[in-house]
Amino acid sequence: MIGFVYHLQDAGIPVSVQYVLEFYRALQRGLARNLDQLFVLARLVFVKRVEYYDVFEQAFASFFLGAEGTAPAVNWEELIAGKPFQEWLRDQLEQGLLTPEELREFDTEELLARFWETVLKQEGRHQGGNQWVGTRGRSPYGHSGHHAGGMRVYGQSLYGSAQKVIDDRRYINYSDQSSLSNENLRQVLTSMRSLRPLGPESELDIDETIAKTAKNGGEIELIFRRELRNRLKLIVMVDNGGYSMTPYIPLVKTIFTKLRDMFRDVTFYYFHNCIYGTVYRDPQRTQSVKWEKLVSENKSTRLILIGDANMAPAELMAAYGSIEMTHTIRKPGKEWLHELKTAFPVSIWLNPIRKDHWGRESTTIQQIGRIFRMEDLTLAGIKNAVSYMNIQGQTYDSQ
Amino acid sequence: MQFEGTERYYLNPELREIVNIAIAMGKPLLLTGEAGTGKTQLAFEISRSLELTMEEARCKSTFKGEELCYVYDTVLRLNDSRFGSGETGRNVNDIWDYLRFGPIGRAFLAGDRRVLLLDEIDKTDSDAQDNLLDVLEEGSFIIREINHKVSARQTPIIIITSNAKRELSDPFLRRCFCHYIPFPPPDEMQIIVRLHFPDIAEPLLDACLTTFYRLREQGFEKPPATAELLDWIGALKSSGARAPGAGKEVNHIGTLLKRTEDLLKFRGVRRTSRF
């Protein structure tokens, strides 16, 4: 059975400890009396998405019916008698992680849970993990750091391995100072979710109603408050012209697409370096959007500009400043930005360049920073941006 | 407790195993799959065949999850406190007179085991799904107003359906048994049609199924599903048609194809182009 679980994992199906335990529990209850039932049961327990059905079927077929000819060993007692489990148990006892007293207290399920936790954890970090199944004899465990390059099983704090953990800096991506990446996406999303909600005034404010009613001498007065769901519009304008933005565009899109639930509408527009009366609906910047329509949006609409704001000063300040040769717009970029700020009072500029580098780059960063509040595209920056927009938004949401 | 099909519903043997495993393990069963594959119907059949009462929750996008457990009717209580409850027998001092239980609440409080159907869970937003997760997993919820815990007397048989309009979260999937119901192949479809039209003539059935599966392969925006097929055969029978028609002359095509674009495509009408 261990082999089968590994087999699934090798095939790319995510397996968790709970699944394995559930599977054992079901086998114990005799829910798999024949191969067909075993198949259905294993699929129910291990496969959660239809995308994996095919992979699962192949894995199942090759394991139970394939060339290896392994008989369906559904007897879970075998596992406990088997070498890998016994060896793991011995390790645990030797290292004092499990005392004999504890062993007596734990039931089999608890033990199995711990065992699988170890095995799966190690599997995740160690590429050659499945070799372990084949050899069946060699201990895969690194014995708390004795083994060169070995992985640790529970022994985190022994023999200087703490040092290694620190050196690994596995959590660096979660720090406040790190810039946007796949690892901290979830954190960013959480902070974005606190963008102040604005729903219809349809929820009865009970406390307020009772207070008002009491004041009225028992004459009922119903007070409604805004429902806790967001019905704002969000416009995201992305500078997709420069190199500095390229790595961030997919991430930025993922974030705001995930936020779509919270907003009534999320719209993306694109521009290059600075804005001269037009933004574009497509990344290739061919379908332009009417400026008049854009600036006549509701004042409560949130605007997030994402760009490095790093350009030649002339692009911002001079007439006919656009970097695009074909543009013949007289009004300088700065004035367009001012107009945009007036149209969207609740707006923020997010910059992929780190805050402490701003001084060293083009002066345009400071100049734009005077028009729009600017934050960098780090976790801390996004948190600041969200709280800034919430405060700004209070004035305009009631309208 | 073993679930077998009923005389009105064709049960695929694999699906029967799945339902029985889910019942035995006491886990919610999440059914996904194309519209018209009988996801919702399955829950009704389980309740019919096992003779259990059914609690049904049709999800809406505005659900927060809690209203499926209970609703506390403050407005009614306020009204009663001001104008008196009259002859309704409600006691303003007793909050229990103003709590109304939703399908989950009723299923938990019932003395008998019930079938709980959460239909189209994907319509709710992810927060509501997360709220429901804990409730279903623990078999209990708390009435916040009086901090009273309601625990399930009997774990209900929970059937959840999803049309995959929105992706369900991983934690949600992890706590369910998930099954994707594939579209029934022609031989199963024959059995299904016969359950509804026991006296249908063999040649007509064959011809209908041929036309039906051919239409499904043509990549229409909304391909006809089981429900459409049954409607169509019903229409053919009541109009006394002997054959479904061939080529572009399929009788009652409107029961099979619902969208204008699909119908135009079927008839071979091209959109007049400007160029």
Side-chain angles (χ1 to χ4, degrees):
Chain A
M1 273 298 109
I2 314 180
F4 180 56
V5 174
Y6 275 128
H7 207 71
L8 289 180
Q9 221 177 22
D10 286 346
I13 297 170
V15 178
S16 88
V17 183
Q18 284 103 318
Y19 297 171
V20 181
L21 286 178
E22 232 168 61
F23 190 51
Y24 281 125
R25 232 175 275 144
L27 291 180
Q28 259 178 313
R29 292 203 195 173
L31 287 177
R33 285 180 300 273
N34 56 40
L35 201 60
D36 286 349
Q37 283 180 336
L38 182 72
F39 173 77
V40 170
L41 174 70
R43 195 179 64 188
L44 268 185
V45 172
F46 288 110
V47 188
K48 301 292 168 180
R49 287 178 192 273
V50 66
E51 292 93 295
Y52 294 122
Y53 270 33
D54 182 53
V55 181
F56 174 81
E57 276 167 26
Q58 284 170 17
F60 189 89
S62 82
F63 190 82
F64 287 109
L65 317 162
E68 297 154 59
T70 323
V74 293
N75 186 358
W76 66 282
E77 304 259 337
E78 264 177 28
L79 173 76
I80 293 185
K83 208 166 182 184
F85 182 79
Q86 290 298 325
E87 212 157 75
W88 170 82
L89 201 60
R90 213 186 54 222
D91 271 2
Q92 295 278 301
L93 288 171
E94 272 173 13
Q95 293 174 27
L97 295 167
L98 270 178
T99 59
E101 290 79 52
E102 270 181 312
L103 197 55
R104 247 169 273 137
E105 275 170 31
F106 285 161
D107 57 358
T108 358
E109 197 159 279
E110 170 83 35
L111 269 180
L112 275 173
R114 284 183 165 226
F115 171 64
W116 279 105
E117 215 171 280
T118 317
V119 168
L120 291 175
K121 212 196 271 171
Q122 159 224 323
E123 180 73 353
R125 254 181 265 155
H126 178 51
Q127 290 303 317
N130 49 356
Q131 197 191 356
W132 179 76
V133 190
T135 53
R136 293 245 162 189
R138 267 188 328 184
S139 166
Y141 308 118
H143 295 279
S144 312
H146 285 308
H147 197 289
M151 52 273 121
R152 295 178 306 276
V153 180
Y154 287 159
Q156 266 87 352
S157 61
L158 296 175
Y159 306 111
S161 49
Q163 184 60 48
K164 186 160 173 294
V165 172
I166 295 167
D167 284 348
D168 272 355
R169 301 202 63 187
R170 271 177 303 170
Y171 296 100
I172 187 162
N173 284 324
Y174 301 101
S175 108
D176 241 14
Q177 297 309 312
S178 69
S179 49
L180 211 52
S181 67
N182 276 315
E183 283 78 9
N184 59 20
L185 204 63
R186 189 169 287 271
Q187 275 170 293
V188 172
L189 280 173
T190 317
S191 34
M192 294 297 290
R193 273 191 206 287
S194 53
L195 272 173
R196 198 166 295 278
L198 178 81
E201 288 189 346
S202 62
E203 201 165 81
L204 187 67
D205 188 333
I206 293 161
D207 292 344
E208 202 51 33
T209 301
I210 290 171
K212 271 270 158 66
T213 306
K215 231 178 225 169
N216 286 352
E219 209 52 59
I220 293 173
E221 185 174 345
L222 299 174
I223 308 294
F224 290 90
R225 66 165 173 235
R226 288 186 193 286
E227 209 183 310
L228 275 180
R229 61 179 65 235
N230 217 319
R231 284 294 166 254
L232 286 173
K233 263 185 98 168
L234 174 70
I235 295 181
V236 184
M237 294 188 183
V238 185
D239 172 4
N240 67 344
Y243 290 112
S244 53
M245 271 308 293
T246 319
Y248 295 99
I249 289 171
L251 277 170
V252 165
K253 284 211 81 161
T254 326
I255 290 180
F256 290 106
T257 315
K258 289 217 176 193
L259 285 174
R260 212 166 273 252
D261 262 7
M262 289 175 42
F263 290 95
R264 200 182 70 212
D265 199 11
V266 179
T267 326
F268 287 95
Y269 295 121
Y270 300 89
F271 64 95
H272 186 188
N273 274 6
C274 195
I275 294 169
Y276 309 94
T278 27
V279 286
Y280 301 89
R281 219 172 265 130
D282 55 331
Q284 292 76 34
R285 298 194 296 273
T286 54
Q287 307 164 10
S288 58
V289 180
K290 257 212 155 82
W291 186 259
E292 289 74 25
K293 197 165 167 256
L294 189 68
V295 294
S296 63
E297 287 281 357
N298 193 314
K299 287 244 188 288
S300 67
T301 301
R302 268 56 166 167
L303 171 70
I304 299 181
L305 290 133
I306 303 170
D308 55 12
N310 204 8
M311 58 194 98
E315 283 179 60
L316 185 65
M317 311 303 284
Y320 305 110
S322 173
I323 194 172
E324 306 277 358
M325 298 305 284
T326 51
H327 277 192
T328 51
I329 306 284
R330 190 181 175 279
K331 204 154 56 164
K334 197 178 161 199
E335 282 179 31
W336 289 111
L337 290 182
H338 268 297
E339 253 180 57
L340 205 58
K341 171 73 183 176
T342 323
F344 297 97
V346 195
S347 51
I348 193 107
W349 187 296
L350 291 175
N351 197 326
I353 301 174
R354 294 260 306 263
K355 210 172 214 164
D356 40 344
H357 294 284
W358 289 355
R360 274 175 260 158
E361 304 283 346
S362 171
T363 54
T364 51
I365 295 184
Q366 273 87 21
Q367 273 152 350
I368 290 178
R370 261 176 247 138
I371 305 172
F372 289 100
R373 164 78 175 259
M374 197 181 283
E375 291 289 344
D376 53 5
L377 212 49
T378 61
L379 203 50
I382 289 172
K383 275 184 189 156
N384 286 342
V386 169
S387 59
Y388 169 80
M389 293 217 296
N390 281 340
I391 295 167
Q392 292 292 303
Q394 280 170 2
T395 335
Y396 298 96
D397 285 352
S398 46
Q399 290 171 5
Chain B
M1 199 177 269
Q2 280 284 323
F3 168 58
E4 307 289 338
T6 58
E7 74 282 359
R8 260 185 43 219
Y9 181 78
Y10 169 73
L11 184 68
N12 170 303
E14 187 186 69
L15 194 55
R16 191 187 63 217
E17 289 301 333
I18 286 168
V19 172
N20 283 324
I21 289 173
I23 293 175
M25 297 290 290
K27 290 266 281 186
L29 180 60
L30 173 69
L31 299 169
T32 52
E34 214 180 302
T37 41
K39 299 188 290 290
T40 310
Q41 199 57 33
L42 179 67
F44 284 98
E45 295 305 325
I46 293 174
S47 96
R48 261 165 50 93
S49 129
L50 299 179
E51 291 172 352
L52 299 176
T53 317
M54 174 93 167
E55 293 296 348
E56 186 190 354
R58 306 235 171 207
C59 295
K60 283 194 261 173
S61 60
T62 50
F63 275 4
K64 294 191 209 78
E66 204 175 62
E67 57 270 72
L68 291 177
C69 300
Y70 74 95
V71 177
Y72 171 38
D73 197 338
T74 17
V75 179
L76 181 64
R77 196 177 186 192
L78 214 58
N79 180 71
D80 285 0
S81 76
R82 171 71 180 78
F83 301 107
S85 49
E87 280 145 30
T88 54
R90 287 190 296 262
N91 178 3
V92 177
N93 295 320
D94 186 5
I95 189 169
W96 287 95
D97 285 355
Y98 298 94
L99 287 172
R100 273 188 252 135
F101 290 97
I104 294 181
R106 287 197 297 271
F108 281 4
L109 284 169
D112 51 334
R113 198 175 189 194
R114 295 202 170 170
V115 178
L116 175 61
L117 167 68
L118 302 179
D119 209 8
E120 305 187 29
I121 189 87
D122 51 329
K123 275 190 182 166
T124 61
D125 60 15
S126 49
D127 289 350
Q129 290 163 17
D130 290 344
N131 293 345
L132 285 175
L133 270 184
D134 301 326
V135 172
L136 295 183
E137 175 122 286
E138 289 165 23
S140 69
F141 60 88
I142 287 175
I143 301 175
R144 280 182 297 123
E145 283 78 4
I146 45 174
N147 203 14
H148 175 86
K149 187 169 174 179
V150 175
S151 304
R153 296 193 192 155
Q154 295 254 11
T155 342
I157 297 169
I158 303 169
I159 307 290
I160 305 171
T161 73
S162 162
N163 282 327
K165 285 221 175 63
R166 261 184 256 177
E167 187 109 319
L168 296 169
S169 74
D170 281 322
F172 192 88
L173 295 177
R174 208 176 297 141
R175 297 189 202 185
C176 302
F177 278 162
C178 310
H179 180 61
Y180 178 84
I181 303 184
F183 198 80
D187 51 330
E188 277 183 16
M189 191 57 96
Q190 235 173 17
I191 306 175
I192 295 171
V193 174
R194 281 196 185 285
L195 282 178
H196 290 262
F197 302 101
D199 53 344
I200 190 169
E202 187 78 33
L204 177 63
L205 178 57
D206 279 349
C208 285
L209 286 181
T210 317
T211 312
F212 174 72
Y213 279 94
R214 208 190 63 224
L215 280 174
R216 272 185 62 82
E217 279 163 16
Q218 285 181 13
F220 288 117
E221 220 167 284
K222 165 90 183 63
T226 321
E228 277 86 28
L229 175 70
L230 293 177
D231 282 353
W232 181 49
I233 294 178
L236 286 177
K237 275 177 68 85
S238 61
S239 71
R242 291 278 182 82
K248 307 234 174 294
E249 299 299 313
V250 176
N251 298 321
H252 305 294
I253 185 70
T255 53
L256 283 174
L257 298 175
K258 300 286 170 71
R259 291 188 187 235
T260 322
E261 296 93 56
D262 289 348
L263 273 173
L264 288 178
K265 191 176 162 196
F266 173 76
R267 298 217 174 97
V269 181
R270 293 244 175 96
R271 283 249 178 83
T272 42
S273 157
R274 273 185 298 160
F275 302 106

